[in-house]
Amino acid sequence: MIDDTLAKIDRSLAIDLPSTTAWFADHPTLSHLLWIAYGSSFVQLFGLVVFLAVLRREDKLWELVFVCSLTIFVSAAFSIVWPAIGAFAYFDYSTDILQRLPPGSGTYHLAKFDYFRSGSSPVISFASLQGVVTFPSFHCCLALMTIFAAVGIRWLFWTLTVWNALVVISTVPIGGHYVIDLAGGGLLWLIGVTLAITLSRLGRRERRLVTDRGNGPTPSAHPA
């Protein structure tokens, strides 16, 4: 487990995670709003895929699907080698704090996490998928890729930016992440989107070259 390292990094940044989580527990209305935001990430993702398809924005749609696929694969692979159980279990928050937060906050993944680590023959089932990755934060990746996919659609961009700012904040009191997890997720998203843009530009350049070769040289005019 790398929880010791993640917690030390947070402390080195002067982040008191137990006190921060307790503050959110003292503000139930805000915590419930963050709980809704946290659970909306995949709904936003699927809705945006449909929306971009309807608008025929194949460039943005390809970019979104590519970044999502890459980041979920890399974050899952990272957690296999360097797993973390999450801040709620690591700091062993009191029952009082857990009861004042929305149901499952910071602990919803623990049963599945233990099942994958301790089960005699664990099975990955698409009927009961459950995120168990702490570092890097895939929810942070989701929030950023959702915002970036809406660039150029003004009303949607600003709506998603405000809402996904709440998603990012929710990863601490609802998702049970360390703050450094968000930096890891942001860096992973940046690498993914940079690679997607680079590949997209190379693809457009290749298509132009193919088109130019297909058209051939312009016939020269011969004097009568």
Side-chain angles (χ1 to χ4, degrees):
M1 299 287 187
I2 61 170
D3 291 88
D4 278 337
T5 300
L6 299 176
K8 286 178 181 177
I9 294 174
D10 272 9
R11 284 194 291 268
S12 71
L13 298 173
I15 297 168
D16 185 347
L17 209 53
S19 296
T20 301
T21 305
W23 184 89
F24 281 107
D26 289 335
H27 296 78
T29 301
L30 175 59
S31 295
H32 187 72
L33 176 62
L34 295 178
W35 180 70
I36 295 172
Y38 189 80
S40 72
S41 289
F42 283 100
V43 175
Q44 292 185 73
L45 178 65
F46 293 131
L48 195 53
V49 165
V50 174
F51 185 72
L52 292 175
V54 171
L55 292 182
R56 297 184 181 278
R57 291 298 305 273
E58 288 87 357
D59 55 337
K60 283 291 185 181
L61 182 56
W62 178 88
E63 180 183 278
L64 178 62
V65 173
F66 176 86
V67 173
C68 182
S69 302
L70 178 67
T71 54
I72 198 171
F73 175 80
V74 172
S75 59
F78 189 96
S79 71
I80 293 173
V81 183
W82 295 286
I85 198 170
F88 276 52
Y90 178 77
F91 289 111
D92 193 21
Y93 292 142
S94 67
T95 302
D96 176 62
I97 290 179
L98 296 179
Q99 288 178 342
R100 287 185 287 125
L101 289 169
S105 295
T107 62
Y108 68 94
H109 68 292
L110 294 179
K112 188 70 73 173
F113 185 88
D114 182 66
Y115 169 70
F116 284 137
R117 288 185 60 84
S118 306
S120 57
S121 54
V123 176
I124 297 177
S125 171
F126 285 98
S128 59
L129 288 176
Q130 177 65 70
V132 295
V133 178
T134 293
F135 181 89
S137 169
F138 182 64
H139 253 83
C140 184
C141 290
L142 278 173
L144 294 173
M145 72 178 73
T146 300
I147 294 171
F148 195 76
V151 171
I153 309 173
R154 183 175 300 177
W155 65 269
L156 183 61
F157 171 75
W158 288 114
T159 300
L160 291 180
T161 297
V162 172
W163 185 250
N164 281 283
L166 294 177
V167 173
V168 172
I169 296 171
S170 75
T171 58
V172 173
I174 307 301
H177 283 280
Y178 303 93
V179 174
I180 190 60
D181 298 342
L182 309 186
L187 178 60
L188 178 56
W189 167 80
L190 182 60
I191 293 171
V193 76
T194 301
L195 183 58
I197 292 173
T198 301
L199 292 175
S200 182
R201 288 175 177 171
L202 290 175
R204 287 195 297 270
R205 184 181 304 171
E206 181 65 23
R207 286 192 293 273
R208 284 197 298 269
L209 290 174
V210 171
T211 301
D212 291 343
R213 286 197 296 266
N215 291 336
T218 303
S220 57
H222 297 284

